[in-house]
Amino acid sequence: MLPALLRSFGHGIRQLRKCSTLSNRDFLAQFKGGSVDLNKDVDSGIATVTINNPDRHNAMTGEMMVQLEDVVTDLECWAKGKAVVLHGAGGSLCSGGDLKTVLAIMDPVKGGRMSAHMQKTLNRLYCLPLLSVAIVQGHTLGGGAELSTACDFRVMDRNAKIGFVASRMGVTPGWGGGMRLVQLVGRNGAMDLLVSGRVLGAEESLKLNLACEVMDFKDAESGVEDTVAWLKERVRGDPAVVQAAKKVVLNGMYMHNEVLLQGERDIFTSVWGGPAHQAAASSKIKHK
Ligand SMILES: C[C@@H](C(=O)O)C(=O)SCCNC(=O)CCNC(=O)[C@H](O)C(C)(C)COP(=O)(O)OP(=O)(O)OC[C@H]1O[C@@H](n2cnc3c(N)ncnc32)[C@H](O)[C@@H]1OP(=O)(O)O
């Protein structure tokens, strides 16, 4: 009896060590499903990134979080690039963290790993030398709304909905979206959206400066075409000059992001996996 118990205790310790020695990327890569796909059009210098998990409104699994980082790494080195368009497959941009992944990592240490990875990845997306546009279509919720704030522009379909719903899920933003929302819509707007977790339409998003443009897309697929046309009007210059202009804006604004992100992560892990989060994540809430 005793040797069996000791063996199982030893196994438990080895599993724990294995988990804690995994990098954040390897840890997240265990949660499979969906993909994040990059297509670079060398003629126009405009890339398209597709969040691809349409059966779940493009919820982000751990594996997709890792692929998103790879895509950002690729784009950081694209000297001839001018812009990038981020969109979701099949009609929604992204419904946030994949709830299957969320339920599997529901303690502050594991949640902190996801937060560290996504903060870093989205901050690098935010700081790309390329002009970036998120196409906000269908439902853009929770982490999906945070993802959209990592782009320079949000072009929104007239019928789309966006919501920073973390508080309704018993948590706070953990992907750097809180910091970026304050920078975008100011103190009062961010306070209202983050505390209420309410879901907004396109016209209100435009008024708040969250959306930059409202468009009437013919269907789910035409969004990319219309947005690329909108973008081409803005990136007529040489890639080196477009990239330099973007760097000027970044240089003027984002000096203290690391400190702000660390603060946001500390707050996030203080509620992640707590009773309110546990209850919300297992309750099948629909944010409409
Ligand atoms: C990181 C974390 C954070 O806040 O920090 C988060 O992002 S937490 C994630 C925050 N996001 C959410 O809580 C989204 C919850 N979902 C919804 O509110 C709703 O599903 C809508 C997105 C409004 C769509 O409603 P609608 O009635 O059109 O479709 P539906 O509910 O039948 O959804 C179609 C399928 O997608 C799944 N689905 C939708 N959102 C999902 C998500 N985030 N993770 C995993 N699965 C998801 C549904 O369960 C359903 O699967 P089945 O067909 O198998 O039933």
Side-chain angles (χ1 to χ4, degrees):
M1 181 70 181
L2 194 59
L5 261 178
L6 285 174
R7 264 202 310 280
S8 102
F9 183 65
H11 175 72
I13 294 282
R14 276 194 300 281
Q15 285 298 104
L16 202 65
R17 277 209 195 107
K18 202 170 129 200
C19 180
S20 63
T21 54
L22 285 179
S23 67
N24 287 347
R25 278 174 64 91
D26 290 345
F27 168 70
L28 288 168
Q30 301 174 101
F31 308 104
K32 306 278 183 207
S35 63
V36 177
D37 308 320
L38 172 64
N39 177 39
K40 290 194 284 192
D41 181 50
V42 285
D43 292 331
S44 64
I46 297 178
T48 316
V49 175
T50 308
I51 311 294
N52 192 7
N53 194 6
D55 291 347
R56 298 185 198 170
H57 290 278
N58 301 317
M60 295 279 289
T61 63
E63 186 176 30
M64 291 165 74
M65 294 175 198
V66 171
Q67 291 179 6
L68 182 62
E69 186 182 33
D70 294 337
V71 162
V72 170
T73 302
D74 190 321
L75 291 171
E76 280 172 340
C77 307
W78 194 23
K80 299 272 184 224
K82 295 182 181 182
V84 54
V85 174
L86 185 78
H87 77 114
S92 282
L93 175 61
C94 172
S95 61
D98 166 46
L99 291 169
K100 231 171 131 191
T101 303
V102 166
L103 284 168
I105 61 168
M106 206 169 252
D107 72 61
V109 174
K110 292 176 182 160
R113 284 175 149 230
M114 173 189 70
S115 173
H117 174 85
M118 286 306 282
Q119 282 193 344
K120 186 176 78 175
T121 299
L122 296 189
N123 196 45
R124 286 171 61 196
L125 172 61
Y126 200 37
C127 295
L128 278 180
L130 314 172
L131 218 67
S132 54
V133 187
I135 303 182
V136 178
Q137 270 182 296
H139 301 284
T140 299
L141 297 169
E146 296 191 59
L147 171 67
S148 80
T149 62
C151 289
D152 298 316
F153 301 104
R154 276 144 302 286
V155 163
M156 201 159 165
D157 179 52
R158 192 167 304 280
N159 300 312
K161 301 278 182 208
I162 184 165
F164 294 82
V165 298
S167 65
R168 291 187 177 178
M169 301 302 292
V171 286
T172 51
W175 296 1
M179 172 193 80
R180 290 186 295 270
L181 189 66
V182 176
Q183 291 170 351
L184 268 174
V185 304
R187 176 177 173 151
N188 289 357
M191 194 77 79
D192 169 25
L193 298 184
L194 292 184
V195 173
S196 70
R198 67 195 177 85
V199 175
L200 317 182
E203 291 303 334
E204 189 184 0
S205 301
L206 188 65
K207 266 196 212 133
L208 282 174
N209 197 35
L210 180 57
C212 312
E213 191 81 28
V214 175
M215 291 190 188
D216 292 290
F217 298 141
K218 271 197 307 292
D219 49 50
E221 282 68 43
S222 69
V224 174
E225 214 177 286
D226 293 354
T227 304
V228 167
W230 179 87
L231 197 46
K232 278 185 175 165
E233 292 294 314
R234 285 157 177 83
V235 291
R236 288 168 185 266
D238 186 86
V241 180
V242 171
Q243 294 203 7
K246 168 89 185 251
K247 282 180 194 155
V248 170
V249 176
L250 293 175
N251 188 52
M253 283 195 78
Y254 309 123
M255 303 297 283
H256 308 294
N257 278 9
E258 296 301 330
V259 179
L260 299 177
L261 289 172
Q262 178 64 55
E264 187 167 316
R265 194 153 75 244
D266 291 345
I267 301 165
F268 175 75
T269 51
S270 75
V271 282
W272 183 269
H277 188 208
Q278 303 257 6
S282 19
S283 67
K284 289 214 159 212
I285 303 178
K286 284 202 191 195
H287 306 287
K288 289 195 165 179

